[in-house]
Amino acid sequence: MKRLPLFLLLSSLSWVGVAPANPTSIEVFAKEAKQTVKDSEVKVPLNISSIRFAVKPQGLRFRYKLEGVDEGWQEKTDTMNFMVRFIDGSGNQIQQLTFPSVGISEGWTGSVNTSGFTTRQERIVIPPKADYVGLALSSSGPVSAVGVIAARNISITSVPENGATARQFLVDSRLPGSKEQIWSKSGSHPSMAKFLHWEKDSRESSVLYIEDDDVQGHADLVTVANKMIQVIPGERLEVEWEEAHSIGLAGGKNLDYAGLPAGKYQFLVEDLSVMGVPLGKINRIQVVVSGPIWGKWWFWLGGLSFIALCGGLWGRSVIRRNIKRHLRHAQLIADERLRIARDLHDDLGTRLSHISLIGAHAQADVEDENARASFNQITELSAELVGALSETVWMLNSNNNNLESLVDFLCRLVSELCRLAKIRCRIDAMQVTEDRKISHDFRHNFSLSVKESINNALKHSNCTEIQLRIWKENSTLKISVADDGVGLQDERRKDGTGLASIQQRMDSIGGTCLIEGVEPCGVRVLLIAPLK
């Protein structure tokens, strides 16, 4: 056996029975694989990067299928075109619009007579300097494109504006009120262009179609020069037609399949007529991709022996590592549950207090209208709880572990809280121009400290305005929350549960919390922590 440098020919299969002069053939290539052919079966190892099937069909078109991989028959296809051409008064083409048809149309049966047609509709605007519009049906796509494209019931109608009446330029592929033929054949192989007359509802019409079986040529059906439609630049037209098509690519093809798992596959090739009709002659070849080494009996025998020999030596260490890992995992779960419980207590407790106060106010109202307004406030605060869940999601998202995200979140948070409380808010926040990473604990505790400070001001200060200032000095982040409320009338408020929680959070990230009165009235909470 010889080894080819890139691909190794594994098999060449031709028709069974009486072979034609140039039968369809299949050649199978696999990188760095030895030739293994037996009873029309090709065997290849599992570690190859891809398998290539080189198909040389007897006719112009073919379809193929690798059973176990492809869901159905496959065919290489391309395009043919329906075109709208704009001509000036000297007969020069100034613009061409192309509407391609690809592959096989829905309802195609292999014959123009019996296939279903699909309606297409396009709106176009007449370009400047255009005096006439012409149409063309063409098979002039890629050189190797073969097959059939058909069109019928072609019409062109103006799109009326400002109450004007629509004008018909083309009806049933003819000029209105005329039975005269306005189409001519052209192209490098015009005989492939054809007309098919048919009758529908006692009305005679025709189908324009091109049956392209020449890989070197093409055919066109175009409106004749002296029957072109006169138009006005800027006018809008609606072009509508019904089409059917079956388009393939002629010639041999290389079909690659990569990453095939171990197993047996059957590759099928069937020749098609120019119209895409299966000819009933199927070539087939079976490919066997060998299984991995661990599928061999001797591999398992050796592996089991090795495990039995070494299990007693490292089994004890594995058990110890598992015990330590489980203990560490249990501790992490306990810590996380404790943190989540504390956050929910701080956050939802504050909001539930708001709901309770507003509910009491609503019950005290005598007039029904005011009561409804108060209960509406309760509904709005309930919606806030949904927002709180969104904030929790933001807290848990590690993608937000940067200074810019933290500053943006705090500005939005304070603005929303003040809006809901109908209190004026002023924000002076620095512009973050650097990609400064921060830890999850820093972001989490700092944002909740700011939120608790805002909530304290909203609940206790009777303020009309809250000012938020965010700035950075060297590697230290500073945030000031100030209100114009009643101030520190009762010094015992400094030792409240909320302020104690803020101090604990700032201590956990190496920061401080300062609370002081401002002149002439109000309180300022200053939060300071090193960025980390």
Side-chain angles (χ1 to χ4, degrees), residues 225-240:
N226 61 351
K227 298 295 182 182
M228 286 190 300
I229 301 166
Q230 190 170 5
V231 293
I232 302 172
E235 188 175 21
R236 292 192 301 161
L237 300 180
E238 183 176 88
V239 182
E240 183 175 323

Side-chain angles (χ1 to χ4, degrees), residues 138-152:
S138 176
S139 64
S140 59
V143 175
S144 57
V146 295
V148 61
I149 180 172
R152 72 185 186 190

Side-chain angles (χ1 to χ4, degrees), residues 439-451:
S439 67
H440 172 77
D441 287 338
F442 181 94
R443 174 172 62 91
H444 176 78
N445 288 287
F446 216 132
S447 58
L448 286 183
S449 297
V450 173
K451 184 176 181 181

Side-chain angles (χ1 to χ4, degrees), residues 26 40 58 108 143 173 302 351 373 382 397 465 485 497 512 532:
I26 307 172
S40 301
Q58 177 185 4
W108 180 256
V143 175
S173 309
R351 295 181 182 274
S382 299
N397 190 350
E465 180 181 287
T497 303
T512 58
K532 57 182 180 179

Side-chain angles (χ1 to χ4, degrees), residues 414-427:
V414 174
S415 177
E416 181 64 13
L417 289 175
C418 291
R419 183 189 67 83
L420 293 174
K422 298 181 180 179
I423 291 178
R424 188 167 57 252
C425 175
R426 295 187 181 184
I427 298 176

